[in-house]
Structure formats: C-alpha cells, structure tokens
C-alpha cells in the first residue's frame, strides 16, 4: 500500500494542466454570458502551455508503469497539441458565421486532447482503454454538435454506434490477452506472450480491429466518409488530424512494446490492412464529388501508407510513421483551411466543382491548395514525398518489397484525383468567387503551405526528432 | 433434518441458480411488463447470491446497488412511460420456441465442449502480475488499491464521466427565451409602486 506522492506526477503535468484548465474554462463558460471567445482563447493558450510542458518534462514511468513519458510520447503529444490547437483556430470564423458558437466546443476538444495524451502515454491495457474512451466520447459529441442538422446528428449517431461496437471488440481482445498472459501491462504481456498460444493471437486480432477502427483503416473504415461529410467542417478538420495521430501512436506502441514475441503474426495483419487501405483510399476517392468525402478517402489511404512503416516493425519503420504523421498533420490542416474558405455569400459550399477556375478568382488560394494537393499526392520536392519515402524505405529495409511496390502503385493511382482537383481549379471556367478569406485561415494555410514547400530545404530537425522518438520504443 | 456443512453451499447454489433461471424465464414469459421487470430484479438478486457463494461479495453488492438500484428502476420508468403494447410484440413466441430451444441446446453443447477442451496456457499462472490475495476480503483488497495504486484509472474514469455529462448537456439542453418561468426573486422584489398602476377613470370615458 503506497500512496502516490504529488511530486511523482510531474510526468503527467501536461494532462493535469489540460484537464484542470478545461474544468476552469467550463466554469467560466457556464457562469459568464458571451464568454465563448475567451474560452476559445484560453483553450488555445492551454494547448500551447501543454506543448511547452510536454517538451520539457523528464522521461519516466509513473502510476506503476501505466503512464509512460518517453521521447516517443513527447514527440507525438506535441503533434497532437498542435493538431487540436489548429482545429480550434480553424473553427473560429466558421462557428460564428454558422451561429453554432458554443463554449463547450473547445472544452470538449481539450478533454479529447487529454484522452489523446493518455492514449499516447498508455503503458497498459486499462490506461489504453480509458484514454481511448475519453478521446472518442468527446469526438462523438462534437460530431453531432450541430444538432439542428440531420446530417450532423446522423454523423454523430453513426460514429457513436460503430465506435461502441469497436470499443466492444477492443475490450474483448483485451480480455483475451489478459486471460492468456495474466497481465495488462505491455511489459508483462511482452514477457508472457511467448506462451500465450492461439488465444493470445485471437485477442491480438480483436485489439487490432479496435485500433483499425480508430485510425479508419480498411476493413473498419466504413464510418469515415459519412462522418466526415456529415460533421461540421471544422470538426472534420479536427477528426482528420489529432485523433488519427493518437490512435496511430497507440497502435505502434502496443504492437511494438507488447507483442515482440509474435511479430510474424501481427505483421501479416498490418500488411493486409495497409494494402487494403492504400488501395481503397486510391480507388474509392476517384468517384467523389464532395471534397469532404474525398478527404475521408484520402485519409484512409494515408493511414494505409503510414501503416507500411509499422508493418516493417523496425525503428526505421516507426521513424517513417512518425515523420509521416507530422507531415500528414501539416497537409491536413492546410487543406481544411482551404475547405473552410469555400464560402459564398449564401453559405458554405463543399463540392469540387465549386472550386472551378479558382486560379482566376483567387490565385493565392488556388496556388496553396495546388501545393498541398501535390504534397498529398507525394510529388517531390514537397513534404508529402518525403513522408512516403521514409515509410517505404523502412519497409524495404525490413524486406517487405511487395508492400513497398504496392504502396508506390497506390500513390500513383491516388495522384489522379488530386490532380483532377488542380485541373478543375486551373483550367475550368470560373465559378462564382468565394467570399474574402478570414485572417486566421490565411495564416494557417500560409504556415502549412510553406512547411510543405520548404520542408526539403532543412528536413533534419524533424527526421532527427522522429528517429530519437522511434528508438525510445525499442 | 440437519444438513452436513459441506452440503450447505451446494443447496444454496441450486436454490439461487434455480430461482435465477426461473425468474429469467418469467421475464420473457410474463404477461404484464411491470411484472417482467420485477422478475428481472429478482433474477439480479439471485445472481448476487451466486456471487456471494463464489466469495465475490463486492461484486454481489455492486450488482444489487447498480443493477437493482439504478438500472432496473430505470427500466421500470421506461416501461411505465412508454406506450408500447408488449402483448402484441410478444405474439408468436410459441411459434419461435422450438427454434429458440434448438439454438439454446447448440450453445449448451458448444459451451460444454469448450470447457472440456480449452486449456489455459500452462505457463500462464506463473506470470500473473496481480494474483488474488487470499488473506483479506476482496472488498478490502479493492479498497487498498483503488485510490493508491489505481488512482490514475480512477481519475481517468472520472474525466470520462465528466465528458459524458457535458456531452449530454450540449446535445439536449435548449435555451428557450420565450418560455415563461417563475422567478421567485423577481416576484419578491416587486413593490406596490412597480406592480400597480392606478388610473383615474372619468365617468363616461374609457381608458
């Protein structure tokens, strides 16, 4: 019976700051009229503070090893905080213009981010599940946050029901793993997994089903297009970035640190999921005319590419995944900044044909969107190319030649629909011009665009940081 | 007749188990829905008795508190508030009974086969990280670790519940400005001057 000393919680400081701050902002929002702006600002500042704290706290395992802070957790937490902060910034004008301003929105995003942090740092199955539920529960609510819209409530309900199903599968997997190894901690499972036998592999499959649902990898991707299309656009921007990073983080941590003894078995699953996601992402996106649906299929494809690195199961592969997630974050935030700028005098539009002739009506916007789409397609020298390069490199070094070849082919097919949008913008007859773009969207687009454009000039810091982070997992 | 001490648990096991199965059957067979819910509560109580026999007294108490105290009462409310004709829903039960019995028998056979054939990994018991303590009751064992070793999980679960509460409010609370509500403070603060308007009305003229 040992009580937990307060000083031993230093490693959890980012989560504590975010959770306590979210509760403080909740009080502010509930007791002050018209405090939405202040709550939003406070939420952004809390995320910045959490990122600074996360960068500076020492490594360690606390709460009996169920909360791990290492270089891997630090790198991904900073990415997640950036993603959540960007999502709040992107939502400011949209929610005000659509009269959906609610102070609870940023608070739910903050609490969801706490869950992501817990997920990234999880050192055992219970912490994993609690983090996952904290993250997801807030996501279900924000998906349905525009409750007067049938589409939004449908998106929320669909996400909730399927999410509950996936949680059930994940828990079933956890219980099987616990039953066949006698442990919930990843370290303990790794020690006992040699003798787990067929029951452990059963559990692993169910656990992976839960993970695949959260990263929206095939065959558990079916919720993605509907939820992306139905949810309010800033919520979609949030869904596409931060939660994916957190889910990918726990996918990598759980497989690498808990199941090294059965690498061969889980590798097969990850290879299959990766190929299926890349292929579906490439082919299913071709017929889409709604840009949010297109981004959903695009994100499925990108998760497939990131999983190529995980399939390698080596430090290089994980480094590739980490670089991929950082660049994916920049590309997604930039692209959604453009989608959120697609506003005419009579409201938001989200069809690809609405972008027709954008190069003549708003050349800078068209230029940046083209840049981001080239980057998403993976065309050198933009950042998206390097993202794919590192995961394929990891796969080739691990001897997965077939996977790398299929990945390259899928990315060629995927380039088609990205280029189609660029063609629409540059060569079609102009449609009605968009309203002026708000300042914060311009700023986010500028930062994301320049990052993608100039990444190749000085790629070292990101590569080195990802390398250190990946090594800490092995 | 006095039963030997070794026989006593077996007697109680069959008592609780038999009652549980009988109540479960009555839940689906009962004509009145409220009776069904009451039988459900009885089934819960008997299941709690089974847990006590297993030595899991904490689980037994939780079952009573949560399922009988909260879930079953919620069911009762739902049953009483919803206007569903359960008699109509239940029509044709006898028609489906043979198939149901067949499925049940198959499940039973499968379970027996699984219990007979499935062997837990032989080396597993040695690697269990948190073995069940034998010297203290399980309520005390839980009490010792819940706020110390497992404080992180406890707090995390609290946050999940907070999100659930915020979510329920965000999705359902509607501010309706036109609804007239009683405001006691306003009523008490009224004086003769603010509440009454005395007019002199001349005869032969209206206001």
């Amino acid at each position: 019976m040992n009580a937990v000393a307060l000083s031993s919680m230093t490693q959890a400081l980012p989560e504590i700051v975010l959770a306590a701050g979210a509760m403080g902002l909740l009080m502010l929002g509930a007791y002050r009229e018209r405090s939405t702006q202040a709550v939003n600002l406070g939420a952004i500042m809390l995320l910045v503070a959490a990122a600074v704290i996360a960068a500076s706290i020492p490594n360690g395992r606390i709460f009996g090893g169920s909360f791990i802070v290492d270089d891997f957790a630090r790198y991904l937490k900073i990415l997640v905080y950036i993603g959540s902060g960007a999502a709040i910034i992107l939502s400011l004008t949209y929610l005000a213009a659509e009269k959906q301003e609610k102070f609870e929105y940023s608070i739910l995003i903050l609490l969801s981010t706490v869950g992501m942090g817990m997920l990234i740092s999880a050192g055992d199955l219970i912490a994993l599940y609690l983090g996952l539920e904290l993250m997801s529960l807030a996501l279900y609510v924000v998906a349905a946050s525009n409750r007067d819209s049938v589409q939004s409530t449908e998106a929320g309900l669909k996400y909730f029901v399927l999410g509950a199903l996936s949680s059930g599968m994940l828990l079933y997997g956890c219980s099987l793993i616990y039953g066949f190894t006698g442990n919930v901690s990843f370290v303990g499972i790794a020690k006992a997994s040699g003798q787990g036998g067929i029951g452990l592999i059963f559990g692993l499959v169910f656990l992976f089903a839960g993970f695949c649902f959260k990263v929206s990898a095939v065959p558990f991707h079916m919720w993605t297009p509907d939820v992306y299309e139905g949810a309010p656009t800033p919520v979609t921007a949030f869904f596409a970035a931060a939660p994916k990073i957190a889910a990918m983080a726990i996918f990598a941590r759980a497989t690498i640190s808990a199941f090294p003894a059965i690498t061969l078995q889980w590798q097969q699953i990850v290879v299959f999921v990766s190929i299926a996601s890349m292929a579906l992402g490439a082919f299913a996106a071709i017929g889409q005319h709604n840009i949010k649906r297109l981004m959903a299929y695009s994100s499925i494809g990108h998760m497939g590419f990131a999983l190529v690195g995980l399939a390698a199961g080596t430090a290089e592969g994980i480094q590739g995944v980490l670089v991929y997630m950082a660049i994916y974050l920049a590309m997604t935030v930039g692209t959604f900044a453009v989608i959120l700028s697609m506003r005419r005098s009579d409201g938001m539009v989200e069809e690809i044909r609405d972008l027709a002739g954008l190069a003549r009506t708003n050349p800078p916007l068209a230029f940046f969107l083209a840049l981001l789409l080239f980057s998403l397609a993976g065309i050198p020298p933009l950042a998206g190319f390097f993202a794919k390069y590192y995961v394929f490199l990891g796969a080739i070094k691990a001897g997965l030649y077939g996977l790398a070849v299929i990945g390259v082919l899928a990315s060629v097919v995927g380039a088609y629909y990205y280029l189609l949008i660029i063609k629409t913008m540059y060569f079609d007859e102009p449609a009605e011009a968009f309203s002026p773009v708000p300042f914060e969207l311009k700023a986010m687009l500028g930062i994301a665009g320049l990052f993608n454009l100039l990444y190749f000039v000085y790629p070292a810091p990101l590569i080195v940081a990802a390398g250190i982070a990946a090594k800490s997992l092995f | 007749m006095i039963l030997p001490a070794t026989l006593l648990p077996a007697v109680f096991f069959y008592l609780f188990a038999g009652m549980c199965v009988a109540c479960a059957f009555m839940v689906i067979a009962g004509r009145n829905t409220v009776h069904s819910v009451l039988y459900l509560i009885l089934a819960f109580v008997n299941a709690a008795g089974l847990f006590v026999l297993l030595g899991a007294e904490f689980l037994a108490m939780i079952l009573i508190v949560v399922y009988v105290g909260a879930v079953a009462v919620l069911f009762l409310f739902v049953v009483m508030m919803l206007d569903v004709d359960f008699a109509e829903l239940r029509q044709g039960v006898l028609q489906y009974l043979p198939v149901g019995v067949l499925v049940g028998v198959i499940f039973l056979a499968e379970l027996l086969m699984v219990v007979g054939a499935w062997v837990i990994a032989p080396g597993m018991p040695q690697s269990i990280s948190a073995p069940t303590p034998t010297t203290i009751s399980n309520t005390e064992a839980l009490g010792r670790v819940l706020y110390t070793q497992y404080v992180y999980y406890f707090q995390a679960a609290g946050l999940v519940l907070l999100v659930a509460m915020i979510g329920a409010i965000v999705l359902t609370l509607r501010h309706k400005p036109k609804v007239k509500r009683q405001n006691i403070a306003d009523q008490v603060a009224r004086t003769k001057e603010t509440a009454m308007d005395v007019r002199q009305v001349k005869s032969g003229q209206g206001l």
Side-chain angles (χ1 to χ4, degrees), chain A residues 70-73 75-76 79 248-257 266-267 270 305-326 387 390-395 397-398 462-474:
Chain A
D70 51 12
D71 294 311
F72 179 80
Y75 175 93
L76 283 158
L79 281 192
M248 192 55 87
I250 193 62
F251 205 157
R253 189 192 284 283
T255 40
I256 299 292
S257 61
W266 65 251
Q267 218 169 15
V270 177
F305 289 118
L307 286 172
V308 170
L310 180 59
T314 58
E316 272 132 355
I318 299 296
Q319 183 186 7
V321 176
L322 295 177
V323 173
Y324 203 103
M325 293 324 280
Y390 285 111
V391 288
F392 290 149
L393 199 67
K397 280 192 182 165
L462 190 65
I463 307 288
V464 171
I468 295 170
K471 282 215 178 59
S472 75
L473 208 56
F474 287 88

Side-chain angles (χ1 to χ4, degrees), chain B residues 13-30 35-36 38-44 46-47 50:
Chain B
F13 170 77
Y14 285 109
L15 176 72
F16 286 136
M19 285 287 280
C20 202
V21 173
C23 291
F25 180 75
M26 285 308 287
V27 171
I28 52 168
H35 291 176
S36 288
L38 292 175
Y39 277 115
L40 187 67
I41 294 175
L42 197 54
F44 283 147
N46 280 295
L50 287 175

